Amino acid sequence: MEQPTAAASDLIDDDRLDDLERDFVGRVRGRVLEIGAGEGENFGALHADVEWIGLEPDSERRAELAQRARGWGHRAEPLDARAEAIPLPDHAVDAVVATYVLCSVADPAIALAEVRRVLAPGGRVVFIDHVVAPPRTVKRVVQRIATPFTARFCHGCHWDRDTARALADAGFVADDARPLRVRSMPFGPVRVLLFDGHAP
């Protein structure tokens, strides 16, 4: 059953965000590509019958990811690649998962085009990411000022990306999209988008 779409003003805490993230990631099935898989933080949320393929360009994270993947029973070695050049053939996977990745890739449009290429027709995508605040808000100004620093010191994170627009422009259709505000200090709530959709 589809979950209700949340209002843009929904304010939640980190515990609720963690629960929602696990719910969204746990929805994918079949052969699943996780881009920017980090150190395997999502393994506990994936369904037991998922055939996992991980992609992680950072060598230190990838070494930890490989070890944790084996611990969770995933046999495939993580791919040493970036989301803009996924080393898989066309229509190779049933689903793609990315948590806090689109805010940090060099070119979101190219990365999303690659996701569409490797995804089977009608395949599922789950994206969870920091997103830009509405226009003409103080939060958006803060994001614009902070982004050069977060991009440099926080694994390339761009706080000011319009991920919802990027997903729409790439042709993904939302089945359950939830724009949320997550309590944070000292600058106030952080905007996060949870997106469960498909490629027609």
Side-chain angles (χ1 to χ4, degrees):
M1 178 180 293
E2 293 298 340
Q3 299 292 323
T5 300
S9 60
D10 279 3
L11 179 63
I12 63 172
D13 61 18
D14 284 332
D15 289 340
R16 178 61 178 149
L17 178 62
D18 288 345
D19 290 342
L20 287 169
E21 288 177 356
R22 290 179 62 85
D23 171 47
F24 272 62
V25 172
R27 297 176 186 182
V28 295
R29 297 290 187 275
R31 196 167 195 229
V32 176
L33 170 66
E34 182 179 4
I35 60 174
E39 296 177 353
E41 293 88 348
N42 287 326
F43 284 142
L46 291 169
H47 195 271
D49 65 3
V50 160
E51 181 186 347
W52 177 86
I53 303 168
L55 182 151
E56 175 52 56
D58 183 279
S59 60
E60 291 184 9
R61 286 182 165 189
R62 193 169 57 255
E64 177 67 21
L65 178 64
Q67 182 176 346
R68 293 195 67 190
R70 288 190 292 271
W72 282 92
H74 300 295
R75 294 172 295 175
E77 283 294 313
L79 303 173
D80 176 8
R82 297 187 175 277
E84 294 90 343
I86 300 172
L88 292 174
D90 295 357
H91 313 313
V93 297
D94 302 303
V96 175
V97 169
T99 56
Y100 305 102
V101 172
L102 292 179
C103 63
S104 62
V105 297
D107 192 319
I110 293 176
L112 289 171
E114 275 290 272
V115 168
R116 286 212 65 173
R117 180 185 66 79
V118 302
L119 194 63
R124 191 169 204 163
V125 292
V126 169
F127 293 104
I128 301 169
D129 236 305
H130 302 119
V131 293
V132 70
R136 297 178 297 280
T137 61
V138 172
K139 175 63 75 172
R140 189 162 181 142
V141 173
V142 170
Q143 288 176 322
R144 295 292 189 207
I145 294 170
T147 288
F149 300 96
T150 59
R152 182 171 181 181
F153 298 111
C154 300
H155 301 288
C157 180
H158 293 71
W159 275 16
D160 60 352
R161 284 191 172 162
D162 190 346
T163 300
R165 171 56 56 191
L167 289 166
D169 289 347
F172 292 105
V173 177
D175 299 309
D176 184 0
R178 306 194 196 187
L180 304 169
R181 294 178 302 136
V182 183
R183 291 188 179 92
S184 179
M185 293 295 287
F187 299 114
V190 173
R191 300 269 173 170
V192 174
L193 174 68
L194 284 79
F195 182 96
D196 174 6
H198 66 278

